[in-house]
Amino acid sequence: MKGIIFDFDGLIFDTETPLYEAYQQLFKEYNAELPLEKFAQIVGTGLDEFHPYRYLEELIGQPVLDEDLDLKIEEYRMEVLGDADLRKGVRDYLDQAKQLELKIALASSSERSWIDRWLAHHKIDHYFSIIRTKDDVHKIKPDPELYEQAVKGLGLKKEDVLVFEDSLNGLTAARRAGLSCVIVPNPITSQLPFEDYQYRLTSMEDIGLVELIRNLNDNQHIQAQ
């Protein structure tokens, strides 16, 4: 193993749970509900396949103004994210990767300005030698382009790179790119039908990075309890 690529939203920093909660609050204002299985369609990707506002319009039978709802969603979410920390074990994994002299990249379907904002906020931007976001590609996850570009940027062969993901769209993108993938679902994605991954963790506190890599090298497919 010579390099690792991290997703961001939901994996490094759980922005997805607060976002779903924000949508839930918004829908309640209209006496409606956004099921988790509906919201899960946009986790790790964009709004092309499913848009919550269009779904809300179907439920209430009238149009809504996207700009007004965007402001409410942002307000709800930022109340939570401003005081939130990174997911458990993330800093340790980044430190261990540096100690192992692994090249570290980030590949996200979000905009670069969003990524830069939170990497700087949590003071972890210096860990990543390569960052690829939706600003760099024609198609985001589950398309493999983000991961293909990240591997190219690292200057490594795909068999020497390990991906960490929390979403089904992210896992699909990694596998389509021919990469090994460890999934670390968050509360929103934990019930998704993950398949074809190399290892599953509940958090990065489950096992150290050195031991994880050793297990992967031994070709073990394990779900940590």
Side-chain angles (χ1 to χ4, degrees):
M1 197 67 61
K2 298 179 181 178
I4 55 177
I5 307 175
F6 290 92
D7 173 52
F8 181 73
D9 290 287
L11 178 84
I12 288 178
F13 188 40
D14 187 6
T15 60
E16 291 164 356
T17 300
L19 180 59
Y20 179 58
E21 293 172 350
Y23 276 120
Q24 285 285 63
Q25 291 187 56
L26 178 65
F27 272 60
K28 286 179 181 178
E29 292 183 8
Y30 292 88
N31 295 315
E33 183 176 353
L34 177 62
L36 179 56
E37 59 268 24
K38 292 286 188 180
F39 176 77
Q41 296 178 61
I42 66 173
V43 175
T45 185
L47 300 174
D48 292 340
E49 297 299 323
F50 174 78
H51 199 303
Y53 299 163
R54 305 290 79 78
Y55 179 66
L56 177 60
E57 289 176 334
E58 292 178 15
L59 294 177
I60 65 176
Q62 65 185 59
V64 298
L65 293 176
D66 289 20
E67 294 81 2
D68 292 344
L69 300 191
D70 281 342
L71 289 174
K72 290 185 177 183
I73 291 293
E74 187 69 5
E75 181 180 347
Y76 288 147
R77 183 162 61 156
M78 293 310 298
E79 287 179 4
V80 177
L81 291 182
D83 297 324
D85 198 0
L86 303 179
R87 288 188 65 189
K88 293 180 179 179
V90 168
R91 293 182 189 276
D92 287 341
Y93 263 47
L94 291 171
D95 285 335
Q96 292 172 49
K98 281 292 187 182
Q99 293 168 8
L100 292 170
E101 297 184 346
L102 299 177
K103 293 183 177 181
I104 309 174
L106 187 150
S108 170
S109 293
S110 294
E111 297 177 353
R112 180 63 184 259
S113 59
W114 173 260
I115 299 301
D116 286 345
R117 172 183 185 174
W118 293 110
L119 292 183
H121 176 80
H122 291 289
K123 298 179 174 60
I124 59 171
D125 46 328
H126 62 283
Y127 285 100
F128 302 97
S129 60
I130 295 294
I131 296 177
R132 295 291 182 266
T133 69
K134 69 177 297 183
D135 300 337
D136 302 306
V137 295
H138 296 291
K139 295 182 179 180
I140 55 176
K141 305 170 188 176
D143 189 273
E145 186 179 2
L146 272 165
Y147 281 117
E148 291 168 348
Q149 284 208 19
V151 171
K152 184 177 180 180
L154 289 174
L156 298 175
K157 297 179 180 179
K158 61 183 180 181
E159 56 266 30
D160 294 328
V161 176
L162 178 64
V163 169
F164 287 85
E165 268 287 356
D166 69 291
S167 74
L168 189 56
N169 284 311
L171 170 63
T172 301
R175 297 302 287 151
R176 286 177 177 175
L179 300 169
S180 297
C181 187
V182 173
I183 58 168
V184 195
N186 58 56
I188 294 298
T189 61
S190 60
Q191 301 304 313
L192 296 179
F194 291 101
E195 295 179 352
D196 194 31
Y197 54 84
Q198 276 60 53
Y199 211 106
R200 178 169 181 155
L201 305 173
T202 56
S203 83
M204 294 180 196
E205 284 189 328
D206 288 347
I207 185 174
L209 181 59
V210 174
E211 185 178 355
L212 173 63
I213 292 174
R214 184 184 305 119
N215 288 340
L216 290 171
N217 287 338
D218 291 338
N219 295 316
Q220 297 183 24
H221 184 107
I222 302 172
Q223 176 172 329
Q225 302 297 325

